[in-house]
Amino acid sequence: REPLPKDEYSTGESASDNNDDKDEEVFDLYDDIYSMMFLSRSICSTSMIFAVATFLLKICLYFFLGAELGRNGKESFQTEEPKDTLVLAAQIFMLPVAVAIQEDLIGSYALIANIQYDPSIREKAPGATPTKWFIASLFRFVDGMCSLAINFVLLLQATEVLGLFLNFAALQFLQTVDNMAFGLAKDGYLGEHIEGIAELAMTLTLPKKQDRFMNSLDTIFFVLTFLFLLVSWVVVVIRQQNDEPTFLDDLDMVNRRLGLYGSLNGN
């Protein structure tokens, strides 16, 4: 048989290789309401109002859950006797999980490390300004941090391994509220304009930063977040086991001065 001609299908430089190189130079926007916020035509557009309303809904739900978790003040974080070793071991192993499941927080780290704003995106999305890029990124970060804080409080309050796992599983629905909202938007349930912005979020890309140190920041931020939780957990658990006052006592005093828990309890 005659050898195949040296074309793009037989040489090392194939079309797929070229596409892979191109893909490595761009970063897809996340399919979420924060990308819709960034791409919206104006701050008064329906897509922006919808995205902000969804964000505020999540923040309110986080507040309600946080208020419930701290309803009894510092007593919510105390146990009558030292926690079981199995529970403490489970808490340690759940610490990195608590960070990893924060989709919005991890996404924020990835954006900081990998994406740079490009004015050329305004050719397809005229409203995608640097200001809205910053605001959308900030809202995504706040969302992720609130979720992480709630997860960490749940972890500290756990007295049983099964209860710890069930609490983490139950909280997952809250983290997907914005994803469900985005699904409604892209499926056209909220009007053609919002559907169009959602479709843009699924197709547009931004250039990727070509800097090894910057590209590693997402890993650095992840590790630092885990280490912060680990140190905080060690400090709180040691003082809990020794029945010593913790920073939670100070939070309790502040909350009681503000009258938050008293109003919740009807006092």
Side-chain angles (χ1 to χ4, degrees), residues 83-105:
K83 290 184 179 179
D84 184 73
T85 303
L86 185 62
V87 174
L88 295 177
Q91 288 180 337
I92 293 178
F93 282 98
M94 287 298 290
L95 283 175
V97 176
V99 181
I101 63 176
Q102 307 307 321
E103 180 180 342
D104 293 313
L105 182 62

Side-chain angles (χ1 to χ4, degrees), residues 13 47 74 118 122 129 131 150 162 223-224 226 251 260:
E13 298 296 328
S47 55
K74 65 182 180 181
D118 185 2
R122 301 189 67 178
T129 63
T131 300
I150 294 296
L162 181 59
V223 174
L224 289 178
F226 165 69
L251 289 177
L260 175 60

Side-chain angles (χ1 to χ4, degrees), residues 3-247:
L4 294 173
K6 292 184 177 181
D7 55 17
E8 65 177 9
Y9 299 103
S10 60
T11 61
E13 298 296 328
S14 65
S16 60
D17 291 335
N18 292 331
N19 290 334
D20 290 340
D21 292 338
K22 184 178 180 180
D23 291 340
E24 291 179 357
E25 297 175 356
V26 297
F27 199 99
D28 294 332
L29 295 179
Y30 288 110
D31 300 345
D32 59 19
I33 61 168
Y34 302 107
S35 294
M36 292 179 59
M37 193 181 297
F38 166 55
L39 299 173
S40 61
R41 295 177 184 175
S42 68
I43 58 174
C44 297
S45 63
T46 54
S47 55
M48 172 63 84
I49 295 174
F50 169 71
V52 172
T54 304
F55 168 76
L56 293 177
L57 172 63
K58 290 192 70 176
I59 296 301
C60 288
L61 294 177
Y62 286 137
F63 172 78
F64 294 148
L65 183 55
E68 178 64 25
L69 291 175
R71 181 183 290 272
N72 297 322
K74 65 182 180 181
E75 296 177 2
S76 303
F77 302 89
Q78 295 177 337
T79 55
E80 296 181 356
E81 46 186 51
K83 290 184 179 179
D84 184 73
T85 303
L86 185 62
V87 174
L88 295 177
Q91 288 180 337
I92 293 178
F93 282 98
M94 287 298 290
L95 283 175
V97 176
V99 181
I101 63 176
Q102 307 307 321
E103 180 180 342
D104 293 313
L105 182 62
I106 299 301
S108 296
Y109 292 164
L111 293 182
I112 294 173
N114 297 289
I115 293 186
Q116 58 184 355
Y117 175 81
D118 185 2
S120 64
I121 196 174
R122 301 189 67 178
E123 297 176 2
K124 295 183 178 180
T129 63
T131 300
K132 285 200 292 182
W133 169 254
F134 173 78
I135 293 175
S137 300
L138 177 62
F139 280 18
R140 181 186 285 109
F141 177 76
V142 171
D143 184 350
M145 288 302 296
C146 289
S147 178
L148 179 62
I150 294 296
N151 270 273
F152 187 56
V153 172
L154 282 173
L155 184 144
L156 290 176
Q157 291 188 356
T159 56
E160 298 178 354
V161 174
L162 181 59
L164 173 62
F165 291 167
L166 291 177
N167 285 336
F168 267 66
L171 194 58
Q172 290 301 300
F173 94 93
L174 190 54
Q175 298 172 349
T176 61
V177 168
D178 55 332
N179 294 333
M180 292 186 290
F182 183 82
L184 292 175
K186 72 180 180 65
D187 290 338
Y189 289 103
L190 303 172
E192 293 183 358
H193 170 69
I194 295 181
E195 180 183 4
I197 297 297
E199 290 177 351
L200 282 178
M202 294 187 294
T203 57
L204 294 184
T205 61
L206 283 173
K208 186 175 181 179
K209 295 177 181 177
Q210 303 299 319
D211 185 295
R212 289 187 176 181
F213 173 74
M214 291 298 296
N215 295 154
S216 65
L217 282 180
D218 49 359
T219 302
I220 295 174
F221 288 153
F222 179 90
V223 174
L224 289 178
T225 304
F226 165 69
L227 291 178
F228 175 78
L229 292 186
L230 179 61
V231 172
S232 301
W233 176 83
V234 170
V235 172
V236 172
V237 168
I238 289 178
R239 295 191 173 186
Q240 282 180 337
Q241 300 295 85
N242 297 330
D243 197 23
E244 298 178 4
T246 69
F247 74 92

